Amino acid sequence: MIEAQIYKALGDPVRLQIITRLAAGSPYTIGELSKNLGISRQGARKQLQVLVSANLVHLSQKGRETEVVLDTDKLTIAKQFITNIEQQWDLRLQALKDFVENNPTKK
Amino acid sequence: MIEAQIYKALGDPVRLQIITRLAAGSPYTIGELSKNLGISRQGARKQLQVLVSANLVHLSQKGRETEVVLDTDKLTIAKQFITNIEQQWDLRLQALKDFVENNPTKK
DNA sequence: TATTTATGCAACCATTTGGTTGCATAATGT
DNA sequence: ACATTATGCAACCAAATGGTTGCATAAATA
């Protein structure tokens, strides 16, 4: 279950907020991104690091600033996992339905 | 960010394993499901509870057994969130591409 | 050159998490 | 009736998490 780390990284409101902002309005610097999250800059930086470690974003140094860039590959993997689960589940429900239809309760 | 709780619940290999098994071969009882996860029954039960609390699965009492059923609604919400992020991100990339094309670097 | 700005690093702290063991109990099987 | 099975509940524990503050430093600006 490699996906666990990705979901874990997504499993925090501050981090989801960061992802949302990045998708909407990059490029962002660490400093900008750390504002208005309700926590300190260093607090925000730690959350950002979780996203970096999960490869959901990457950083690129620009002079004294650091640009934060969204990386959608891992998001796609996470989405694919859910799609697969849903698909298997639907197959099962369909199989169950077929079974019921072919084996009517005797009156 | 309501999705955070869902992702958090998905963010553990044992819990992903449980979800995967449920999608593949329900109905499962708590006892069956707790086997072969590499942890104790009570340990597995605690992980299962996390999924219940996040409404990813629900339980239904059957005599002395408890049936565990997958609930795909929350999964769908989680998937939708990712889809939205990807979409916004693609829009941005496209806008950036257009900008570059209409503003060629002067030779 | 002096100051401000963007950032990093580390120590610290309370709470949550992921696991354990031990014991209780209600439903089922013999 | 007795034993077994499926489960719940609670206490406990180490490690991880989510936050803080304080201090250091390199780059940009005045």
Side-chain angles (χ1 to χ4, degrees), chain A residues 91-105, chain B residues 27:
Chain A
L91 280 176
R92 285 205 65 259
L93 291 190
Q94 188 58 47
L96 182 63
K97 186 167 165 264
D98 292 350
F99 177 82
V100 170
E101 279 167 5
N102 294 322
N103 296 272
T105 319

Side-chain angles (χ1 to χ4, degrees), chain A residues 1-5 7-8 10-14 16-17 19-20 22-27 69-72 75-79 81-86 88-90 92, chain B residues 1-5 7-8 10-14 16-17 19-20 22-27 69-72 75-79 81-86 88-90 92:
Chain A
M1 303 289 112
I2 330 92
E3 296 87 352
Q5 200 203 357
Y7 289 127
K8 193 169 189 176
L10 293 175
D12 176 274
V14 168
L16 279 190
Q17 187 66 41
I19 297 260
T20 303
L22 286 173
S26 241
V69 186
L70 187 61
D71 216 325
T72 54
L75 281 179
T76 303
I77 291 176
K79 191 176 70 170
F81 177 84
I82 294 178
T83 301
N84 291 153
I85 293 288
E86 287 175 326
Q88 275 213 269
W89 182 247
D90 288 347
R92 285 205 65 259
Chain B
M1 304 289 111
I2 329 93
E3 296 86 354
Q5 200 203 357
Y7 289 127
K8 193 169 190 177
L10 294 175
D12 176 275
V14 168
L16 279 190
Q17 188 66 40
I19 297 259
T20 303
L22 285 173
S26 243
V69 186
L70 186 61
D71 216 324
T72 54
L75 281 180
T76 303
I77 292 176
K79 192 176 70 171
F81 177 84
I82 293 179
T83 301
N84 291 152
I85 294 287
E86 287 176 326
Q88 276 214 270
W89 182 247
D90 288 346
R92 284 204 67 259

